[in-house]
Amino acid sequence: MRKVLITGFEPFGGEAINPALEAVMALDGQSLNGGEIVVCSVPVVRYAAIDTVIAAIEQHQPDVVITVGQAAGRAAITPERVAINVDDYRIADNGGHQPVDEPVIADGPAAYFSTLPVKAITHVLQEEGIPAQVSNTAGTFVCNHLFYGVQHYLCNRSVGNHHVRHGFVHIPLLPQQAVQGTQPSMSLATIVQGLTLVAQACLDYEQDAMITAGCEC
Amino acid sequence: MRKVLITGFEPFGGEAINPALEAVMALDGQSLNGGEIVVCSVPVVRYAAIDTVIAAIEQHQPDVVITVGQAAGRAAITPERVAINVDDYRIADNGGHQPVDEPVIADGPAAYFSTLPVKAITHVLQEEGIPAQVSNTAGTFVCNHLFYGVQHYLCNRSVGNHHVRHGFVHIPLLPQQAVQGTQPSMSLATIVQGLTLVAQACLDYEQDAMITAGCEC
Amino acid sequence: MRKVLITGFEPFGGEAINPALEAVMALDGQSLNGGEIVVCSVPVVRYAAIDTVIAAIEQHQPDVVITVGQAAGRAAITPERVAINVDDYRIADNGGHQPVDEPVIADGPAAYFSTLPVKAITHVLQEEGIPAQVSNTAGTFVCNHLFYGVQHYLCNRSVGNHHVRHGFVHIPLLPQQAVQGTQPSMSLATIVQGLTLVAQACLDYEQDAMITAGCEC
Amino acid sequence: MRKVLITGFEPFGGEAINPALEAVMALDGQSLNGGEIVVCSVPVVRYAAIDTVIAAIEQHQPDVVITVGQAAGRAAITPERVAINVDDYRIADNGGHQPVDEPVIADGPAAYFSTLPVKAITHVLQEEGIPAQVSNTAGTFVCNHLFYGVQHYLCNRSVGNHHVRHGFVHIPLLPQQAVQGTQPSMSLATIVQGLTLVAQACLDYEQDAMITAGCEC
């Protein structure tokens, strides 16, 4: 049984809920064709976020990791293409940290690409009637921080013959977070359906691609 | 048993579906507290649209009429405040008409206000977690045309002691119409829930307001 | 010598400047082909705004009146098509008034159309390389209030054989009001050039249209 | 006399002009405090763009290089933070190339950061009343391609004791490219003033920072 770990951030920035957390709670234990979904919640706190996901990876030993966060203002599920080595927070995280133009990992490379099949994911979602778009920036807040940090971990650990794909996916606000009508939103049902399709697409792609070894980061 | 007539436009502009039509098909016959919903589909054709809704009003004798159409680019359910006496079509309607700066009704007044409680409707939707906003323009295409034409009919017929409230409500695209991710959308389930709340709010308001006679247009 | 009166609002809503006021100060006394521009500044205060423009009309006896205000979020010079009989202020005006869903003029009609040639104005501006678009809503704040109130005055006074055209034109923020980069702006030079073209187009249209008498409102 | 090389792309995508080219033609030879501006025009053609700018660098031996391109939809001058090693063109470039998910430089790093002081530049522009914002994505078209390729060249050549700062700056459309009013624009005068401020800020920062040697890419 193969495993897809999907992680979701806790609420931040004054919000009472986070669609990513709502979604992963709904996805916990869900069956996939050839696998299952495991989940964890992630604090919106610099470094603690990375440590939490690394611990979940070590616990669950997943084949694929999909880190998920909310992106106010976006109308679609947006797989991120690239994580950059910058922490530049417009607001403080839930731990009170507000770094300006600091690296995520000192002496880390400028960026890591997603190792999820971002185009294939986008295509599958659109085919199923769900708004989707590849994004070229995950911002410079805790979402990008987690994306970069987990990718750095996966690309640098001794992996034996087992490579773990990972990427970050931004999702829209829930309708109840956008009642004023000035920002787009997506229903929880659509988000959950969408992330299930993302997880399945990653499993299917993994099979097709027959990756055998190494880190192509 | 009081009746709320909800009407939905057919697809236009190259779209295969119209969320308004999808919604009214789902709402047909639905029970309300103190009433029920009846529906009709409306051609996106100048004047034929008005005639269709007038025929449905004469058939069903509703207490409230809610005409509904799609508004690409909007992120919320938006009760319209006002209909203006202008037909100025950016594209041809489904009958091939493309009037420029013509009146809907020659010698009609410049505008009619909605007689739905647009602020109360917006408040109820937001309280239930559904994005909503009062809109100050229904555009100058067939949506505004229908809104103006039906309001003109209702305000000018001899009504005896029975006044019928009417207004237009724009709804967002469905997710499957917005798969490229560049426009906001709303799930059909949320739209149907929202329009049910709108219908109930109009019935409840009608009771509260104890309108007895006359057209305040 | 024919006269075009252009009026501009004072700053409001915490802004230190208003592009409309900056523009009219630059336009004061400017020559047109067959006429000249006169201007006045207008307080962002309910009713006082209307009274100020009426006094300027009685003083200058203009052939055309163009009332101008700022519209944050718009990227173009937008001649307004219609004024509606609603005061519904999101923020208080400079006199502390914040009416909710009140009429501008009790027992006034639902709306007045602009009597400026809004399509011709838009065409001239675009031909000269200036972003322009007809707008179908002037909102429900003091801009719409002034537009409605002045049109009501012009359409109801005894006019003899002299009809005065009037309409409202919204302009974008100035660059210095939009330094954060999240809202579009337009340079003062472009706005001044644009409003000069608007004034000239109104004079030229007036000549072409050979309007002789009466109020077509 | 220190030199700032500013490069501007030729028109593409069906446009007759490119604000970047218009701006560099206006900036050619302009004096700065402690330096001067030299310019070159750049074809919107994969690899030819990079080769053109490298040739200009070798000819002029500038202290600072600012590559500039147009970004439809943006309302501000946006210094880019990072170039990524991806060519993924939504439309063909002027040479007919339309790569999908190819690297700019095979075996190049995932990304290069701008070595311009993007925050200081943004601050100076905003202080002078010009809309500005740091951007975290230069897209995946020829703008990003050039940014990445020039940075790769500068970071890999043997530089002796002389380091050349370089970054990409996106600018809005000109008003005449946005006459429909649906996209923000910026006047050429404001863009030219803005890029002059950018060039001066880079020279001043260079002095302050007293960079002595090496490539911190």
Side-chain angles (χ1 to χ4, degrees):
Chain A
M1 182 64 78
R2 300 166 73 225
K3 281 187 195 164
V4 179
L5 171 63
I6 305 185
T7 79
F9 277 114
E10 295 168 359
F12 69 95
E15 297 277 349
I17 56 174
N18 189 317
L21 184 58
E22 300 299 312
V24 302
M25 291 191 302
L27 288 163
D28 192 12
Q30 186 170 318
S31 291
L32 297 170
N33 184 5
E36 67 169 347
I37 293 173
V38 294
V39 309
C40 82
S41 70
V42 183
V44 182
V45 178
R46 199 183 186 207
Y47 296 117
I50 299 171
D51 293 343
T52 299
V53 174
I54 290 175
I57 291 170
E58 293 180 347
Q59 175 194 344
H60 294 294
Q61 298 291 325
D63 302 85
V64 175
V65 180
I66 304 169
T67 43
V68 181
Q70 114 183 3
R74 291 198 190 168
I77 294 179
T78 51
E80 295 293 343
R81 196 194 285 269
V82 64
I84 62 175
N85 194 13
V86 175
D87 278 342
D88 189 18
Y89 295 4
R90 186 181 51 80
I91 57 173
D93 69 16
N94 287 351
H97 312 113
Q98 191 169 3
V100 174
D101 291 343
E102 296 182 13
V104 179
I105 306 288
D107 303 320
Y112 286 105
F113 286 113
S114 176
T115 44
L116 300 185
V118 294
K119 290 283 182 76
I121 288 168
T122 301
H123 184 71
V124 165
L125 290 169
Q126 292 182 344
E127 286 291 303
E128 295 296 323
I130 298 177
Q133 201 174 44
V134 174
S135 167
N136 294 313
T137 174
T140 60
F141 191 50
V142 185
C143 290
N144 172 75
H145 173 89
L146 176 64
F147 183 8
Y148 184 94
V150 171
Q151 205 69 323
H152 185 77
Y153 162 78
L154 290 172
C155 284
N156 285 283
R157 66 176 183 168
S158 63
V159 293
N161 60 359
H162 185 67
H163 180 66
V164 176
R165 290 192 178 277
H166 164 245
F168 195 93
V169 176
H170 266 119
I171 58 177
L173 296 179
L174 291 170
Q176 59 263 46
Q177 296 176 288
V179 294
Q180 297 302 320
T182 54
Q183 289 184 303
S185 62
M186 185 174 279
S187 72
L188 184 58
T190 304
I191 291 172
V192 167
Q193 180 195 359
L195 291 178
T196 305
L197 289 165
V198 171
Q200 187 67 57
C202 290
L203 273 194
D204 294 348
Y205 186 84
E206 185 80 3
Q207 299 285 60
D208 294 350
M210 294 206 303
I211 288 165
T212 50
C215 174
E216 68 272 69
C217 306
Chain B
M1 182 64 79
R2 301 166 74 225
K3 281 187 194 163
V4 178
L5 171 63
I6 306 185
T7 79
F9 277 115
E10 295 168 358
F12 69 95
E15 297 278 347
I17 56 173
N18 188 317
L21 184 57
E22 301 299 312
V24 302
M25 290 192 302
L27 288 164
D28 192 12
Q30 185 169 319
S31 292
L32 297 170
N33 184 6
E36 67 170 345
I37 293 173
V38 294
V39 310
C40 83
S41 70
V42 183
V44 182
V45 178
R46 200 184 185 207
Y47 297 118
I50 299 171
D51 293 343
T52 299
V53 174
I54 290 175
I57 291 171
E58 292 179 348
Q59 176 193 341
H60 294 295
Q61 298 292 326
D63 303 85
V64 175
V65 180
I66 304 169
T67 44
V68 182
Q70 108 182 7
R74 291 200 190 165
I77 294 179
T78 51
E80 295 292 343
R81 195 194 286 267
V82 64
I84 61 174
N85 194 12
V86 175
D87 278 343
D88 189 18
Y89 295 3
R90 189 181 50 81
I91 59 173
D93 69 16
N94 286 352
H97 311 113
Q98 191 169 3
V100 175
D101 291 343
E102 297 181 12
V104 179
I105 307 287
D107 302 320
Y112 286 105
F113 285 113
S114 177
T115 44
L116 300 185
V118 296
K119 290 283 182 73
I121 289 168
T122 301
H123 183 71
V124 165
L125 290 169
Q126 292 181 346
E127 285 292 303
E128 294 295 322
I130 298 177
Q133 200 174 44
V134 174
S135 166
N136 294 312
T137 175
T140 60
F141 191 51
V142 185
C143 289
N144 172 75
H145 173 89
L146 177 64
F147 182 8
Y148 184 95
V150 171
Q151 205 69 326
H152 185 77
Y153 162 78
L154 290 172
C155 285
N156 286 282
R157 66 172 183 170
S158 63
V159 293
N161 59 359
H162 185 68
H163 180 67
V164 176
R165 290 192 178 277
H166 163 245
F168 195 91
V169 176
H170 267 120
I171 58 177
L173 297 178
L174 291 170
Q176 60 263 46
Q177 296 176 287
V179 294
Q180 298 302 320
T182 54
Q183 290 183 302
S185 63
M186 186 176 278
S187 73
L188 184 57
T190 303
I191 291 172
V192 167
Q193 180 195 359
L195 290 178
T196 305
L197 290 165
V198 171
Q200 187 66 57
C202 291
L203 274 194
D204 294 348
Y205 186 83
E206 185 81 3
Q207 298 286 61
D208 293 350
M210 290 205 305
I211 288 166
T212 51
C215 175
E216 68 274 68
C217 305
Chain C
M1 183 63 79
R2 300 165 75 224
K3 281 186 193 163
V4 178
L5 171 64
I6 305 184
T7 79
F9 277 114
E10 295 168 359
F12 69 96
E15 297 278 348
I17 55 173
N18 188 315
L21 184 58
E22 300 299 311
V24 301
M25 291 192 302
L27 288 164
D28 191 13
Q30 186 169 319
S31 292
L32 298 170
N33 185 7
E36 67 169 347
I37 293 173
V38 294
V39 308
C40 82
S41 69
V42 183
V44 182
V45 178
R46 200 184 185 206
Y47 296 117
I50 299 171
D51 293 343
T52 299
V53 174
I54 290 175
I57 291 171
E58 293 179 347
Q59 176 194 343
H60 293 296
Q61 298 291 325
D63 302 85
V64 175
V65 180
I66 304 168
T67 43
V68 181
Q70 112 182 4
R74 293 200 188 164
I77 294 179
T78 51
E80 295 292 343
R81 196 194 285 267
V82 64
I84 62 175
N85 194 13
V86 175
D87 278 341
D88 190 17
Y89 296 5
R90 188 181 51 81
I91 58 172
D93 69 17
N94 286 352
H97 311 113
Q98 192 169 3
V100 174
D101 291 343
E102 298 181 13
V104 179
I105 306 287
D107 303 320
Y112 286 106
F113 285 114
S114 177
T115 44
L116 300 185
V118 295
K119 290 283 183 75
I121 288 169
T122 301
H123 183 71
V124 165
L125 290 170
Q126 292 181 345
E127 285 292 302
E128 295 296 323
I130 297 177
Q133 202 174 42
V134 174
S135 167
N136 293 313
T137 175
T140 59
F141 190 51
V142 185
C143 290
N144 171 76
H145 173 90
L146 176 64
F147 183 8
Y148 185 95
V150 171
Q151 205 69 325
H152 185 76
Y153 162 78
L154 289 172
C155 285
N156 286 282
R157 67 173 183 170
S158 62
V159 293
N161 59 0
H162 185 68
H163 181 66
V164 175
R165 289 191 179 278
H166 164 245
F168 195 92
V169 176
H170 266 120
I171 57 177
L173 296 179
L174 291 170
Q176 59 263 46
Q177 296 176 286
V179 295
Q180 297 302 320
T182 54
Q183 290 184 300
S185 62
M186 185 175 279
S187 73
L188 184 58
T190 303
I191 291 172
V192 167
Q193 181 195 358
L195 290 178
T196 305
L197 290 165
V198 171
Q200 187 67 57
C202 291
L203 274 194
D204 295 348
Y205 186 82
E206 185 81 2
Q207 299 285 60
D208 293 351
M210 291 206 305
I211 288 165
T212 51
C215 175
E216 68 272 67
C217 306
Chain D
M1 183 63 81
R2 300 165 74 223
K3 281 185 195 166
V4 178
L5 172 63
I6 305 184
T7 79
F9 277 113
E10 295 168 359
F12 70 95
E15 297 277 349
I17 55 173
N18 188 316
L21 184 58
E22 300 299 311
V24 302
M25 290 192 303
L27 287 163
D28 191 13
Q30 186 170 317
S31 292
L32 298 169
N33 184 6
E36 67 170 346
I37 293 172
V38 295
V39 308
C40 83
S41 70
V42 183
V44 182
V45 178
R46 198 183 187 206
Y47 296 117
I50 299 170
D51 293 343
T52 298
V53 174
I54 290 175
I57 291 169
E58 293 179 346
Q59 176 194 342
H60 292 294
Q61 299 291 325
D63 302 86
V64 175
V65 180
I66 304 169
T67 43
V68 181
Q70 113 183 3
R74 292 199 190 166
I77 295 178
T78 51
E80 296 292 345
R81 196 192 287 266
V82 64
I84 62 174
N85 194 13
V86 176
D87 278 342
D88 190 18
Y89 295 3
R90 187 182 51 81
I91 58 173
D93 69 15
N94 287 351
H97 311 113
Q98 193 169 3
V100 174
D101 291 342
E102 297 182 12
V104 179
I105 306 288
D107 303 320
Y112 286 105
F113 286 113
S114 177
T115 44
L116 300 186
V118 295
K119 290 282 183 74
I121 288 168
T122 300
H123 183 71
V124 165
L125 290 170
Q126 292 182 344
E127 286 290 303
E128 294 295 322
I130 298 177
Q133 202 173 43
V134 174
S135 167
N136 293 315
T137 174
T140 61
F141 191 51
V142 185
C143 289
N144 172 75
H145 173 90
L146 177 63
F147 182 8
Y148 185 95
V150 171
Q151 206 69 323
H152 184 77
Y153 163 78
L154 290 172
C155 284
N156 286 282
R157 66 176 183 168
S158 62
V159 293
N161 59 0
H162 185 67
H163 180 66
V164 176
R165 290 190 177 277
H166 164 243
F168 196 91
V169 176
H170 267 119
I171 58 178
L173 297 178
L174 290 171
Q176 60 263 45
Q177 295 177 287
V179 294
Q180 298 303 318
T182 54
Q183 289 184 303
S185 62
M186 186 175 279
S187 73
L188 184 58
T190 304
I191 292 171
V192 167
Q193 181 195 357
L195 291 178
T196 305
L197 290 165
V198 171
Q200 187 67 57
C202 291
L203 274 194
D204 294 348
Y205 186 83
E206 186 80 4
Q207 299 286 62
D208 293 350
M210 293 208 302
I211 288 164
T212 51
C215 175
E216 69 272 67
C217 306

